Amino acid sequence: YTRAEVAQHRTPADRVWVTHGTEVFDVTDFVELHPGGPDKLLLAAGGALEPFWALYAVHSQPHVLELLREYKVGELSPEDAAAPPPGDTGDPFAGDPPRHPALRVNSLKPFNAEPPPELLTQSFLTPNELFFTRNHLPVPAVEPGSYRLRVEGPGGRSLSLSLAELRRRFPRHEVTATLQCAGNRRSEMSLVRPVKGLAWDIGAISTARWAGARLRDVLLHAGFGDRPPGDGEWHVCFEGLDEDASGTPYGASIPFERAVSAEAEVLLAYEMNGAELPRDHGFPVRVVVPGVVGARSVKWLRSVAVAPAESPSHWQQNDYKGFCPSVDWDSVDFRAAPAIQELPVQSAITEPRPGAAVPAGELTVKGYAWSGGGREVIRVDVSLDGGRTWRAAELGGERPQRGRGWAWALWELRAPVAAGARLDIVCKAVDRSYNVQPDTVGPIWNLRGVLSNAWHRVPVTVTR
Amino acid sequence: YTRAEVAQHRTPADRVWVTHGTEVFDVTDFVELHPGGPDKLLLAAGGALEPFWALYAVHSQPHVLELLREYKVGELSPEDAAAPPPGDTGDPFAGDPPRHPALRVNSLKPFNAEPPPELLTQSFLTPNELFFTRNHLPVPAVEPGSYRLRVEGPGGRSLSLSLAELRRRFPRHEVTATLQCAGNRRSEMSLVRPVKGLAWDIGAISTARWAGARLRDVLLHAGFGDRPPGDGEWHVCFEGLDEDASGTPYGASIPFERAVSAEAEVLLAYEMNGAELPRDHGFPVRVVVPGVVGARSVKWLRSVAVAPAESPSHWQQNDYKGFCPSVDWDSVDFRAAPAIQELPVQSAITEPRPGAAVPAGELTVKGYAWSGGGREVIRVDVSLDGGRTWRAAELGGERPQRGRGWAWALWELRAPVAAGARLDIVCKAVDRSYNVQPDTVGPIWNLRGVLSNAWHRVPVTVTR
C-alpha cells in the first residue's frame, strides 16, 4: 500500500487503517475496544501509530504489539516507507521542525497549533510534542555551541553568556507552569462578531515542568539590584532570534519588579519536562513568565535589556491588549489599554465534545482551569442545565503554595444522566481572589479576540 | 417647635423643614434650587443641617446663612434644643458613639450602616462621618493614655506599645485605600434566594487616606524577619478590644508574607483622612490591609501574633468564605473554602438611582469601581440597554502605581437620552489582570451572600 491509500481510511465507515513500521493494519474492529477510548485511537487513523505510542508509555508492552498483529492487512510499498522530501529552500519556513500529527494546525507558516481537547487533560504535564505552539515567525535554527545570550547590564556594560555558562553559573531552578495564549478560545468570540487573529479552539494552553536559570539571578549577576535602576516604571525587555523579512525580531517585556522578584520565579528556561527545549518551544533558551500571558515568554532568547519603557515591539505596543466591545479598527487607540500581563481566570470542558452523543448512566465531565498571577483555582462549578443549577467539580493535580498557583488544575465531575436528555454543560472557575468568569462572550468581545474567558458551553445529547 | 414636629416635614408634599442652631426653616422652595442637587438636600429633611454642612466646606460662607434666613419659620422650643438623654446603662451598646444622620442603618446593635449612594461618589475620599461602618460587637471605650498594643515576638517574648510609642518609634506611613465589606451588595443576592447577613445596598465600601505605622516595621522591630519563622504557611493574627458577652474578641488574620511585605503596605493606622480614628472606625488603632476584604482590617487593635495557622476566630474560620450556589446550611463545610482575602473586581452605579425618572437630554451616569490585591481598575464599561451595547466611561481619581491600586476609581459617562425611553443602565469594570465582573447574580449566589459583584443594574425612565 501507499501512505496515500492508508490515509483514505480514517473513519469506521471507510475502515480505520494505521501503520506501524512498514506494516499496515485495519483496526476498525478494535476502535470501540481501545482502553483509552475510541476518540484517542481515531486521532491516529490513516497514519502512523508511533507518534501516539511515544506519548503514552502504556503501549510499549509486548502484548500491545501482539494484539495489533491480529489486525494486519499488508505492508507499505518500499518507496513510501521513506520520509517525505524536504521543502522548497526559498521558503523561510522550510527549516521549521517536524511536528506531531495529532496537533490541530491553525496556521502552517508561521506554525500555530493546539493539541486536541481529548488529549489536553490526559496528563497534568502536557507532553512536549503536544504542547500548543504559537510562533509569530519562522523557527530559527540555532547551533547550541555558538549560542550567546546578551544581557545589557547597568551603565552600558553587557554580558554575553553561552549556553554552558547559563547552565553552570546560575542555580538550576524548576517551576511547573501553565502557558496560555491571549487568543485561547478566540473562535468563540468570532461567533459573536468576526475578530482578527488565529481561530484557536480551547487548546492554546498547556503545562510543563520548566527548568533553567532564574532571570532574577542573571539580572543580579549583571549588576542590577532588587529595585529598578531609576525612578518611575522600569521594564525588562526580551528579543528573540526569530525575525521577520525586514530583520525585526519578536520582542516583549515585563515589569522590572516581576523580573527581579524571587517569588515570581521567572525563568530563562533550557529544559521542558526533563528534555532540552524542542525547537518549536524556543531551543536552546526561552523566557518562562509564570502566571503571565504566553506572549511575554519570549522564545529563542537573544537579548535581555532593562529600560524605562516597555518593549517597543509591535507585539507589546499594538497587539495583546483588551478593549471595550464598541472599539473597532477605525477607533482603536492601542495606547489607551495596558499590555496584557496577568491573565484572568479561565476554564474549559475537554470531555465530552460539543455535539457528542453520550450514553445514559454516569457521565464524566473533564476539563482544565487556571488563573493568572499565581492565583490558584479554588473551585470549579459545573452545570448540566445551562447554568441554572451547579455542582462543584473535583480538583486534581498538584496543590500549589498560596500565591504560586502557576499551573492549571484538572477537574472532573461525575453525574447520572437520563436517556434522551439534552444537556447544556457549562463550567466556570473561581480563583484564590474569588474572581469568576463572565457568563457570556458578547460583553467581553474585543477586536483582537483576546481574553476570551466566558463560561465554556458544551451541548450534548444522551442516547436512548 | 419641637424636634418631633420638625421631623414630620421630610418631603415636599409635607413641606421640607430643617433646623440650624435653634432656628427652624421651611426650605421647600429651595429644594429644586440646591446647587448640590435636590437629593442631597433632602437627606437633611426633618433634622439638623449642621452634620451635612460639616461635610461640605462650601456651606461655611456668609451668603449661605443669609440665603437660609429667608426661609425661617420659627425657633425650637428651649427644652428640645438640648441633646437627647443617654441610653440605658444595662445595654452593652449604650456607650456607642453618636453617628451621622445621613447614614443608612442596616443594624443598630451592633451598628452597621452605609452612606447613601448619592453621597458615596461626591468625593474621592469618603468623609469620616460617612465612611461605612461594619461593627460586629459594641464599640469599646478606649482611654488613649492607657492604651497598649501587645505584639507577640519570636521565642515567647512580647512587646507592649503605647499609642505614643507606636507614633514615635515607627515611621509614619500614608496609604490611600478603599475598604469593602465582603457583604457589599448582598441585598441583590437575597432577591435570587434569601441569604444570611445584613442587607447591604451598594454602600459597604468607602475610601480614606490612612496613616500609621507599617505592620512590617513593627514585626521587624519585634524580631521577625522577611521570611516566616518556620516551614509551611504562617499567619499574622489580630484581636480587637471589642468582645462578645462571653468575653471573646473579634479576630482575623492575614498571611505572614503580606503582613511583612513592604509593597503590600499593611498599616497599624491611627489616622483617617488627617484626623485621629473615629471611635466607630477603631480608635485609637486599627489594622488597614489594602486590597483585602474589610473583615481582616481589625479595629480597636489589642494584639498581634504570628502563628502557623490562621486566626481561630469565628470570623476567620466559619464566615467570610465563598461557596458553590448548591451549598446550603445543611451541607456547608466551612473548611472546604479558603477565607476571603483579596476581593474580586467590583463596580456599581451611584447616580441615577433605580426607578428614577431622569430628564431628556444629556444623562450623567456616575459610579465607583475597585478591585482587590492592588489590581487597579483600567476600564469601566457602561450600557444603557441592559448589556447589548457598551461605552467606556471616563475614569477619575488618582492614577496609582502599577500593582498598588489600593483605592477605587470614580467614573462618569455622559450620554444623550431621548424622552420617553426606558433605560436599563449597567456597569462592569476591568482590572489590571483583565478580570471582569460576571453578568448575573444567580450563578455566584452563596449562602452567606458574600462576593456579590455581578453587573450592577439601574432601571430608569426618561421623562417626556
Side-chain angles (χ1 to χ4, degrees), chain A residues 384-462:
Chain A
L384 303 183
D385 55 12
R388 281 199 320 111
T389 63
W390 299 89
R391 284 177 49 191
E394 271 191 48
L395 301 188
E398 303 161 6
R399 291 290 76 204
Q401 273 187 284
R402 180 207 303 274
R404 296 199 188 181
W406 309 127
W408 63 15
L410 300 185
W411 56 263
E412 193 170 309
L413 179 89
R414 288 188 198 148
V417 292
R422 286 161 169 271
L423 309 178
D424 184 9
I425 313 177
V426 184
C427 72
K428 63 180 173 80
V430 183
D431 75 13
R432 168 60 80 153
S433 300
Y434 279 100
N435 272 300
V436 298
Q437 297 173 247
D439 309 18
T440 59
V441 183
I444 56 166
W445 185 98
N446 60 83
L447 73 180
R448 274 296 276 119
V450 291
L451 305 158
S452 185
N453 74 329
W455 299 354
H456 189 225
R457 292 171 170 274
V458 169
V460 304
T461 53
V462 184

Side-chain angles (χ1 to χ4, degrees), chain A residues 249-295:
Chain A
Y250 183 80
S253 61
I254 61 174
F256 182 87
E257 287 78 2
R258 182 180 294 273
V260 87
S261 156
E263 289 72 29
E265 301 187 271
V266 180
L267 290 191
L268 304 183
Y270 41 70
E271 276 180 32
M272 181 175 176
N273 290 327
E276 63 182 19
L277 292 183
R279 285 190 62 210
D280 262 333
H281 299 290
F283 179 81
V285 175
R286 76 174 298 174
V287 186
V288 171
V289 192
V292 161
V293 61

Side-chain angles (χ1 to χ4, degrees), chain A residues 51-60 118-120 122-123 127 130:
Chain A
F52 295 90
W53 284 15
L55 295 178
Y56 303 106
V58 67
H59 294 99
S60 61
E118 310 86 289
L119 296 184
L120 195 55
Q122 283 284 101
S123 50
L130 292 184

Side-chain angles (χ1 to χ4, degrees), chain B residues 108-427:
Chain B
L108 202 57
K109 300 177 181 183
F111 188 72
N112 286 281
E114 60 189 297
E118 309 85 290
L119 296 185
L120 196 53
T121 47
Q122 283 284 101
S123 51
F124 182 70
L125 297 179
T126 314
N128 288 356
E129 295 81 354
L130 292 184
F131 202 98
F132 85 95
T133 302
R134 202 300 174 229
N135 293 345
H136 295 82
L137 297 162
V139 177
V142 183
E143 208 285 289
S146 56
Y147 172 79
R148 290 289 179 286
L149 174 65
R150 185 179 169 88
V151 183
E152 307 280 348
R157 285 171 298 132
S158 85
L159 285 177
S160 173
L161 296 168
S162 71
L163 186 56
E165 286 167 336
L166 195 69
R167 285 175 169 273
R168 207 178 51 226
R169 281 206 200 158
F170 305 97
R172 183 173 178 281
H173 191 82
E174 288 197 9
V175 179
T176 303
T178 296
L179 293 185
Q180 183 182 212
C181 177
N184 190 28
R185 302 182 58 200
R186 177 180 285 133
S187 54
E188 293 164 63
M189 242 172 219
S190 283
L191 298 177
V192 173
R193 228 160 54 237
V195 298
K196 205 164 156 177
L198 297 163
W200 296 104
D201 187 16
I202 63 172
I205 183 169
S206 302
T207 300
R209 181 91 182 147
W210 308 93
R214 285 199 303 193
L215 177 56
R216 169 189 173 79
D217 295 334
V218 173
L219 289 174
L220 296 183
H221 178 76
F224 294 101
D226 277 312
R227 304 266 142 215
D231 289 340
E233 287 196 352
W234 285 71
H235 303 266
V236 177
C237 303
F238 309 117
E239 281 186 358
L241 288 160
D242 47 337
E243 296 180 346
D244 68 13
S246 76
T248 308
Y250 184 81
S253 60
I254 61 174
F256 183 87
E257 287 79 1
R258 181 180 293 274
V260 87
S261 157
E263 289 73 29
E265 301 187 270
V266 180
L267 290 191
L268 305 183
Y270 41 71
E271 275 180 34
M272 181 174 178
N273 290 327
E276 63 182 18
L277 291 183
R279 285 189 61 208
D280 261 334
H281 298 291
F283 179 81
V285 176
R286 76 175 297 174
V287 185
V288 171
V289 192
V292 160
V293 62
R296 312 300 167 217
S297 287
V298 173
K299 302 196 273 193
W300 313 292
L301 186 65
R302 175 214 305 252
S303 70
V304 175
V306 174
E310 289 185 289
S311 165
S313 163
H314 165 80
W315 292 279
Q316 188 78 20
Q317 299 291 334
N318 298 316
D319 198 353
Y320 296 124
K321 297 185 172 190
F323 294 94
C324 181
S326 58
V327 172
D328 60 26
W329 287 100
D330 293 328
S331 63
V332 66
D333 172 8
F334 271 98
R335 288 163 306 179
I340 300 170
Q341 294 279 347
E342 295 183 1
L343 285 170
V345 60
Q346 173 73 288
S347 71
I349 298 157
T350 54
E351 293 185 39
R353 299 297 303 143
V358 301
E362 190 180 67
L363 173 69
T364 300
V365 185
K366 285 188 182 187
Y368 63 76
W370 181 81
S371 189
R375 292 182 286 279
E376 67 271 25
V377 166
I378 60 163
R379 202 180 81 232
V380 175
D381 296 335
V382 179
S383 174
L384 302 184
D385 55 12
R388 282 199 320 110
T389 62
W390 300 88
R391 284 177 51 189
E394 270 191 50
L395 302 187
E398 304 161 5
R399 292 289 75 205
Q401 273 188 282
R402 179 207 302 278
R404 295 197 187 180
W406 310 127
W408 63 14
L410 301 186
W411 55 264
E412 192 170 308
L413 180 88
R414 287 186 201 150
V417 293
R422 288 162 166 269
L423 309 178
D424 184 9
I425 313 178
V426 185
C427 72

Side-chain angles (χ1 to χ4, degrees), chain A residues 120-455:
Chain A
L120 195 55
T121 48
Q122 283 284 101
S123 50
F124 182 70
L125 298 179
T126 315
N128 289 357
E129 295 82 354
L130 292 184
F131 203 97
F132 85 96
T133 302
R134 202 303 176 225
N135 294 346
H136 295 82
L137 298 162
V139 177
V142 184
E143 208 286 288
S146 56
Y147 171 79
R148 290 290 179 285
L149 173 64
R150 184 179 170 89
V151 182
E152 307 281 346
R157 284 170 298 132
S158 85
L159 285 176
S160 173
L161 296 168
S162 72
L163 186 56
E165 286 167 336
L166 195 68
R167 285 176 170 273
R168 209 180 48 226
R169 281 208 202 154
F170 305 97
R172 184 174 178 281
H173 191 82
E174 289 198 9
V175 179
T176 303
T178 295
L179 293 185
Q180 183 181 214
C181 178
N184 191 29
R185 303 182 57 201
R186 176 179 285 135
S187 54
E188 293 164 63
M189 244 174 217
S190 283
L191 299 177
V192 172
R193 227 160 55 236
V195 297
K196 205 163 156 178
L198 298 162
W200 296 104
D201 187 16
I202 64 171
I205 183 170
S206 302
T207 300
R209 181 89 182 147
W210 308 92
R214 286 198 302 191
L215 176 56
R216 169 188 172 77
D217 296 334
V218 173
L219 289 175
L220 295 183
H221 179 75
F224 294 101
D226 276 312
R227 304 264 144 216
D231 289 340
E233 287 197 350
W234 285 71
H235 302 266
V236 177
C237 301
F238 310 116
E239 282 186 358
L241 288 159
D242 47 338
E243 296 179 347
D244 68 13
S246 76
T248 307
Y250 183 80
S253 61
I254 61 174
F256 182 87
E257 287 78 2
R258 182 180 294 273
V260 87
S261 156
E263 289 72 29
E265 301 187 271
V266 180
L267 290 191
L268 304 183
Y270 41 70
E271 276 180 32
M272 181 175 176
N273 290 327
E276 63 182 19
L277 292 183
R279 285 190 62 210
D280 262 333
H281 299 290
F283 179 81
V285 175
R286 76 174 298 174
V287 186
V288 171
V289 192
V292 161
V293 61
R296 312 300 166 215
S297 288
V298 173
K299 301 195 274 193
W300 313 292
L301 186 66
R302 174 215 304 254
S303 70
V304 174
V306 174
E310 288 185 291
S311 165
S313 164
H314 164 81
W315 292 279
Q316 188 79 19
Q317 299 291 334
N318 298 316
D319 199 354
Y320 296 124
K321 298 184 173 191
F323 294 94
C324 180
S326 58
V327 172
D328 60 25
W329 288 99
D330 294 328
S331 64
V332 66
D333 172 7
F334 272 98
R335 289 163 305 180
I340 299 170
Q341 294 281 346
E342 296 184 359
L343 285 170
V345 60
Q346 174 72 289
S347 71
I349 298 158
T350 55
E351 293 185 40
R353 298 298 302 143
V358 300
E362 190 180 67
L363 172 69
T364 300
V365 184
K366 285 188 182 187
Y368 64 76
W370 182 81
S371 189
R375 292 181 287 279
E376 68 270 26
V377 165
I378 60 161
R379 203 179 79 232
V380 176
D381 296 335
V382 179
S383 173
L384 303 183
D385 55 12
R388 281 199 320 111
T389 63
W390 299 89
R391 284 177 49 191
E394 271 191 48
L395 301 188
E398 303 161 6
R399 291 290 76 204
Q401 273 187 284
R402 180 207 303 274
R404 296 199 188 181
W406 309 127
W408 63 15
L410 300 185
W411 56 263
E412 193 170 309
L413 179 89
R414 288 188 198 148
V417 292
R422 286 161 169 271
L423 309 178
D424 184 9
I425 313 177
V426 184
C427 72
K428 63 180 173 80
V430 183
D431 75 13
R432 168 60 80 153
S433 300
Y434 279 100
N435 272 300
V436 298
Q437 297 173 247
D439 309 18
T440 59
V441 183
I444 56 166
W445 185 98
N446 60 83
L447 73 180
R448 274 296 276 119
V450 291
L451 305 158
S452 185
N453 74 329
W455 299 354

